[in-house]
Amino acid sequence: MIEAFHDVSPAWPVIIGGLIAAAIPNHYVRKGLALIAPILAGLLWFNAPSGGHVGGIIELGGFVLETFRYDGLSRIWGLIFIIAAFINGLYGFHEKDRVADAAGLIYAGAGLGAVFSGDLLSLFFFWELTAISSVFLIWGSKTQAAFKAGLRYLAIHVLSGVMLLAGAVIHAADTGSWAFDDSLSIDTLGGLLIFLAFGIKCAFPFMHNWLQDAYPKATVTGAVVLSAFTTKLAVYALARGYAGTDVLIWIGAIMTAFPVFFAVVENDLRKVLSYSLNNQLGFMVVGVGVGTELAINGAAAHAFVHIIYKALLFMSMGAVLHRVGTVKASELGGLFKSMPVTAIFCIIGGAAISAFPLFSGFVAKAMTLAAVAHEHHWVVWLVLLFASAGVLEHSGIKIPYFAFFSHDRGHRVREAPANMLMAMGVAALLCLYLGWPDMFGIPGGYRALYNLTPYPEVANAYPMWTFDHVVGQMQLLMAALFAFAFLVRMKWYPDEKRSVNLDFDWVYRRAFDGLARWSYAMFSRLWAAIGNLLAGVRDRLGGRLFQTFSPMGALSRDIPSGLLAIWTSALLAIVLLIAYLAP
Amino acid sequence: MSDQSGKHDERIHPAARPFLWLDAPWLKSSMLWILLVLALGFAAIDLFHHRHEYVSLAETTGFYALWGFGSFVLAVMVGWFVIRGLLGRSEDYWDGEGDQ
């Protein structure tokens, strides 16, 4: 333990590494930074006092900012963010893009900074930094679609930040505290605004489309990086501020279920993974909503393993995109012949997310399901079981099957680059290690995961590896696998075809956009009509004045003296008449 | 004509050659029965062993197998007929932006 570094948040080396990378033209120096910065962050994480710690205090303009709060909750999130940053650095080693290198590091550092923030102002700063830095990973694709999606992504996330700040100000005015803790409540205006800000980043239903819109359009590495931080930061924020908030149980349940239906018929496999990500977030949100120690452990453990297996799946599809040039299911198939190692890693990721026993998803998801059942939310429990079968469909079967097996489309490409394989290998090993049971008296890898949870004694007391539990899970998964084979055989499984499916983003991309365009057109026409009217009035008035006062106007004409005499006589007669009649 | 089996395709990755049987027609046709046997095998454990569950409904014989099968079919049917049927559009719907 080096006390001099106790107050240094692991976020700083990563953010500073990103800032330096932005100024360094040499590719290998930048890539070195991308690997060394997370290692330094890891050393700071290991160096933190084990009993909890609040440090990194910065006094600024009368505010006290806590940049390094290290406790049970931030510890597990901090470690997985550091691991993810390292894997991302390895995966993107071959990419020569200075902006992406810098953005990736700053984004990861901002995520770490937010996790370790002890107050709402620090949280706001890092919250916005994640939004601003990550958009470059979308724009990095350099397509028109990516540019537009990036703008929408940025607008929505900046809105989230603004709502967070507004909520924080109101909350501080009400309570006199800027602390980022469980004093937040949706029953107050400030608390509700902060809750909604977290909800946007967490991709709550009707706030979720930025995810499926932006992630599939990001760069090969960008999608992997994006999948790790933003949404899991939001889950962390909810766990920190709103654990036990009942409405989260139903929000989470809906999040687990509805993406399943979209993922079934989605053709873009990275978009399938984005819907799958949404579904997985639902499990975590349910855990946070239940709020018991077991449930919070479940959410934290799920976030930890999810970041790894979701990154692995995005990495495998990124490798396919890198080599084949597309991840459209309708154009893929048979790739295991060209990319067998990537295929194996993808299958491991699929097995982990599907929660097959011996894989990491199994030991994490089980705690959430048990906590839900413990609290007698049996309808939600059934929804989660449905979603578990759904996960198997879109991530466990669809992704590996349509990319690597199915109809051989004749793509004969090279295997993924070595650095990509190494990154996938690290993630795949973790998927296996973290799901490994106790065996022959040797503690299983899942114990390491459980020891990292916020309440390790509760986690270790949970009877994970029971015969009933393993059998029940295998019954569910094997029956679902059989259902897939059955539907395919009966030709009741939808073909993969080039198409898009409308989602809630239609409201702002088409309806609101159409309304805005229509309003603009109507306003333009109205403005033109008013202009025409004013021009007509001006022309008519000007014409009259011209007719009257111009050199050729009525008042300038030569009037015959006889006519003038008649008019003068008439006027005189009228004057005399008025004078005579006047009293 | 391309060699779909890949036996003589030199572009096949060496590590994949021992696994080309995964693409064999016999495997594809028998996969249904293999999975049926596995699914029924796991479900049959309930006939000999009483599972202890937090939710009493889950202790019903064959509960997980039925729920897994039904959930999968429901997910596919709703996705196919509701999502694709009602919300599916051509790929260039978003002004030719595409999704990639």
Side-chain angles (χ1 to χ4, degrees), chain A residues 183-197:
Chain A
S183 65
L184 299 171
S185 165
I186 58 169
D187 296 329
T188 64
L189 177 61
L192 184 63
L193 279 171
I194 296 171
F195 180 79
L196 292 173

Side-chain angles (χ1 to χ4, degrees), chain A residues 50 67 79 109 206 225 255 294-295 332 335 381 391 415 471 489 531:
Chain A
S50 56
T67 62
L79 180 61
F206 305 115
V225 179
M255 286 170 73
L294 183 63
L332 294 176
L335 274 174
W381 185 80
V391 174
E415 179 55 278
V471 165
R489 173 65 68 89

Side-chain angles (χ1 to χ4, degrees), chain A residues 261-521:
Chain A
F261 304 121
F262 282 90
V264 166
V265 288
E266 178 56 53
N267 192 36
D268 182 332
L269 294 181
R270 291 205 300 174
K271 200 165 185 175
V272 171
L273 288 176
S274 302
Y275 276 115
S276 166
L277 203 164
N278 221 158
N279 150 288
Q280 293 288 293
L281 292 169
F283 281 90
M284 300 170 217
V285 170
V286 168
V288 172
V290 173
T292 59
E293 291 182 346
L294 183 63
I296 295 296
N297 278 349
H302 201 148
F304 195 96
V305 298
H306 162 86
I307 285 175
I308 297 166
Y309 57 61
K310 183 57 70 180
L312 178 54
L313 288 166
F314 265 110
M315 283 192 281
S316 64
M317 287 303 102
V320 169
L321 180 61
H322 180 68
R323 286 303 194 211
V324 183
T326 182
V327 282
K328 297 285 169 67
S330 56
E331 294 164 39
L332 294 176
L335 274 174
F336 85 94
K337 295 172 184 172
S338 305
M339 306 175 75
V341 185
T342 303
I344 290 169
F345 290 146
C346 182
I347 291 167
I348 291 173
I353 196 173
S354 304
F356 272 92
L358 300 179
F359 292 87
S360 57
F362 179 59
V363 300
K365 199 185 289 180
M367 282 195 287
T368 304
L369 281 163
V372 169
H374 264 303
E375 300 305 310
H376 309 296
H377 298 293
W378 63 273
V379 175
V380 173
W381 185 80
L382 287 173
V383 173
L384 298 190
L385 274 192
F386 161 78
S388 298
V391 174
L392 175 72
E393 197 287 325
H394 54 69
S395 292
I397 297 174
K398 181 169 180 169
I399 295 288
Y401 180 74
F402 284 107
F404 297 104
F405 302 98
S406 190
H407 308 290
D408 187 350
R409 307 282 179 188
H411 296 295
R412 295 292 178 262
V413 294
R414 284 186 295 153
E415 179 55 278
N419 62 295
M420 283 186 168
L421 291 177
M422 285 168 68
M424 285 190 272
V426 171
L429 275 176
L430 285 170
C431 286
L432 289 164
Y433 172 70
L434 295 172
W436 198 251
D438 299 332
M439 209 172 274
F440 309 118
I442 302 168
Y446 82 101
R447 293 283 179 197
L449 175 67
Y450 281 14
N451 285 332
L452 276 169
T453 56
Y455 307 102
E457 64 289 346
V458 175
N460 283 305
Y462 172 66
M464 177 60 234
W465 286 97
T466 63
F467 179 76
D468 290 356
H469 189 195
V470 174
V471 165
Q473 183 69 359
M474 286 306 293
Q475 287 176 336
L476 183 90
L477 295 175
M478 295 316 297
L481 272 171
F482 168 68
F484 172 71
F486 175 73
L487 292 175
V488 170
R489 173 65 68 89
M490 301 302 290
K491 300 194 185 302
W492 291 344
Y493 194 88
D495 289 334
E496 298 308 308
K497 67 175 198 179
R498 300 181 69 108
S499 63
V500 293
N501 302 299
L502 303 185
D503 199 342
F504 191 72
D505 58 343
W506 180 89
V507 172
Y508 55 82
R509 290 178 71 179
R510 270 291 154 90
F512 285 178
D513 182 61
L515 185 67
R517 286 173 192 275
W518 180 83
S519 303
Y520 178 75

Side-chain angles (χ1 to χ4, degrees), chain A residues 2-129:
Chain A
I2 304 170
E3 283 192 27
F5 292 110
H6 274 180
D7 287 343
V8 182
S9 165
W12 295 123
V14 185
I15 292 174
I16 292 168
L19 293 173
I20 295 171
I24 299 286
N26 186 289
H27 167 76
Y28 292 102
V29 174
R30 288 201 311 272
K31 294 305 177 184
L33 279 170
L35 294 174
I36 291 168
I39 291 172
L40 290 176
L43 291 174
L44 289 171
W45 182 91
F46 276 108
N47 187 58
S50 56
H53 176 69
V54 175
I57 307 289
I58 300 171
E59 291 191 23
L60 196 70
F63 294 101
V64 178
L65 308 178
E66 296 173 3
T67 62
F68 189 28
R69 173 177 51 191
Y70 182 85
D71 61 9
L73 199 59
S74 62
R75 186 173 70 132
I76 183 169
W77 253 275
L79 180 61
I80 189 56
F81 277 13
I82 291 166
I83 292 171
F86 180 81
I87 292 175
N88 294 340
L90 194 54
Y91 185 77
F93 197 86
H94 64 286
E95 277 189 359
K96 294 184 177 177
D97 185 338
R98 197 197 308 191
V99 174
D101 290 342
L105 277 172
I106 294 170
Y107 173 44
L112 277 166
V115 160
F116 288 119
S117 292
D119 64 280
L120 291 167
L121 282 178
S122 303
L123 178 71
F124 166 74
F125 170 75
F126 289 115
W127 194 265
E128 289 293 46
L129 190 57

Side-chain angles (χ1 to χ4, degrees), chain B residues 29-100:
Chain B
S29 60
S30 54
M31 188 54 76
L32 176 72
W33 305 112
I34 294 169
L35 289 171
L36 177 63
V37 168
L38 284 170
L40 288 177
F42 275 103
I45 293 174
D46 282 1
L47 299 173
F48 311 104
H49 170 77
H50 178 73
R51 283 181 289 100
H52 297 281
E53 298 283 346
Y54 295 114
V55 179
S56 56
L57 176 67
E59 294 184 346
T60 311
T61 301
F63 167 78
Y64 283 111
L66 288 171
W67 196 262
F69 184 87
S71 297
F72 197 99
V73 172
L74 177 71
V76 171
M77 292 301 148
V78 172
W80 193 0
F81 294 109
V82 178
I83 304 298
R84 180 175 284 178
L86 297 179
L87 303 175
R89 297 290 186 274
S90 68
E91 200 172 33
D92 59 354
Y93 178 81
W94 295 114
D95 304 324
E97 271 187 46
D99 271 333
Q100 202 170 289

